[in-house]
Amino acid sequence: GEFKPIEIKTGDEIEELAHVYNEMMMKTNAYVEQQKRFVSDVSHELRTPLAVLDGHINLLNRWGKNDAEILDESLQASQFEISRMKKMLEEMLALARLENVDLSSSELDCDVVKVCKHAVKNFALVRQEFEIELIQKVSEETRAKIYPNHYEQALSILLDNAAKYSPDDRKSVIITIDEDEEYVITKVSDKGIGISKEDIQHLFERFFRADKARNRDIGGTGLGLSIMARLAENYKGKIEVESELGVGSTFILKIPKLD
Ligand code: ADP
């Protein structure tokens, strides 16, 4: 940041005003820096799929007309890159929209059991190969202080990840809804590939993907969990993770209860 705080030591309202001004400028500065970093991250992330697309179009141009195999493969790969970019855009929009949630809104009232059941139903429909279990340790009336669609989005990110990072022979996921004094606690547990200790530290950073090379085929964007982190922060909740490499992962989302 370029901002240099004003120094006034008069011990009166003017000094106080300078202080308020400095605080304000510092916040604005941090915000601008954050936006700059976001734009630069995004440009960087879009460069890879664009380069791959470029390569395939070159291939198609040179050989695609005569070689059915190249035609098929390159078209399919291009489609894959395009859907990744689309997903990335949607997720970035979701991230941007999360910036200004009004915490005093009366619409922050989520019937967690209902939304969970809905999410489980959707998941079961799309991922029929999955074994899915919902453990409900709270009453049907339990409500959390969050927009229902944001809670559902959070669930679908976690379920999606459980699906993406579970090998074919261990496709099972358990969702637990629980509570303590303060929070509604939602856990999503899988028996997937797990996450190493080093990677866990970076998990919630934008565009972070453990083992990028291998992960490229799985077709994620590295944005899902940064949306989760933002969401938890916005609603004064928490997101935690417990995981063991090769064994599985549990993501724990805590959202304040509505009383
Ligand atoms: P992505 O689109 O890559 O899934 P996320 O932000 O949702 O992006 O996740 C970031 C990274 O964290 C993933 O690329 C993956 O390496 C790891 N990860 C997330 N969820 C799981 C999970 N359930 N099991 C194992 N690894 C996971």
Side-chain angles (χ1 to χ4, degrees):
E2 293 304 306
F3 172 68
K4 291 226 164 39
I6 303 177
E7 268 195 67
I8 297 177
K9 290 240 179 307
T10 48
D12 59 8
E13 289 94 338
I14 298 205
E15 184 181 329
E16 215 171 289
L17 202 61
H19 183 70
V20 171
Y21 172 82
N22 287 340
E23 295 261 290
M24 210 173 74
M25 285 306 285
M26 233 101 88
K27 270 193 199 142
T28 311
N29 228 37
Y31 182 72
V32 170
E33 283 306 312
Q34 207 185 327
Q35 293 298 312
K36 272 193 203 156
R37 206 173 55 225
F38 186 53
V39 171
S40 111
D41 285 355
V42 168
S43 326
H44 182 255
E45 289 301 317
L46 284 175
R47 206 167 282 151
T48 314
L50 277 175
V52 176
L53 264 181
D54 198 31
H56 282 296
I57 288 183
N58 263 329
L59 272 178
L60 283 170
N61 225 349
R62 281 203 215 162
W63 291 294
K65 290 162 202 129
N66 305 317
D67 188 326
E69 204 173 318
I70 288 185
L71 183 71
D72 263 12
E73 261 176 38
S74 282
L75 281 178
Q76 209 177 326
S78 301
Q79 196 86 65
F80 178 82
E81 293 303 325
I82 288 171
S83 45
R84 256 192 94 222
M85 285 196 283
K86 267 166 100 174
K87 181 118 203 275
M88 216 183 267
L89 274 177
E90 275 159 26
E91 290 179 336
M92 283 185 304
L93 281 175
L95 205 56
R97 281 198 212 102
L98 269 174
E99 305 255 333
N100 29 31
V101 165
D102 174 12
L103 279 179
S104 65
S105 165
S106 62
E107 284 165 42
L108 300 187
D109 178 351
C110 178
D111 183 339
V112 285
V113 174
K114 187 178 123 200
V115 175
C116 256
K117 283 183 177 162
H118 186 242
V120 166
K121 212 167 126 196
N122 277 348
F123 184 80
L125 210 68
V126 182
R127 313 263 185 183
Q128 297 195 350
E129 71 281 15
F130 252 84
E131 204 175 287
I132 179 162
E133 187 184 352
L134 178 61
I135 301 174
Q136 180 187 332
K137 295 185 173 171
V138 298
S139 81
E140 301 277 333
E141 285 81 51
T142 310
R143 316 191 85 83
K145 223 171 170 245
I146 182 171
Y147 284 118
N149 60 338
H150 278 162
Y151 181 66
E152 181 150 14
Q153 185 182 20
L155 283 176
S156 100
I157 289 171
L158 294 181
L159 286 171
D160 243 24
N161 280 350
K164 274 190 292 191
Y165 303 108
S166 295
D168 284 343
D169 56 337
R170 298 214 306 265
K171 291 200 176 300
S172 103
V173 60
I174 301 172
I175 303 178
T176 312
I177 322 174
D178 203 350
E179 65 189 326
D180 62 12
E181 288 283 290
E182 222 178 317
Y183 300 107
V184 174
I185 303 167
T186 315
K187 294 187 189 179
V188 177
S189 259
D190 63 48
K191 297 192 173 69
I193 59 175
I195 305 153
S196 72
K197 292 254 175 326
E198 304 90 78
D199 287 340
I200 279 192
Q201 297 174 292
H202 304 286
L203 219 54
F204 296 98
E205 291 168 14
R206 255 187 330 237
F207 298 117
F208 174 81
R209 308 199 69 202
D211 198 348
K212 283 207 177 217
R214 189 188 43 185
N215 264 356
R216 245 191 95 66
D217 302 331
I218 302 182
T221 58
L223 282 170
L225 288 181
S226 55
I227 294 178
M228 290 296 299
R230 183 64 63 79
L231 199 132
E233 188 190 325
N234 257 305
Y235 289 105
K236 304 210 183 305
K238 292 191 173 118
I239 174 81
E240 289 157 11
V241 53
E242 290 160 3
S243 185
E244 199 179 327
L245 208 54
V247 177
S249 313
T250 300
F251 285 84
I252 303 156
L253 174 67
K254 300 183 181 178
I255 298 291
K257 286 204 268 195
L258 187 71
D259 31 39

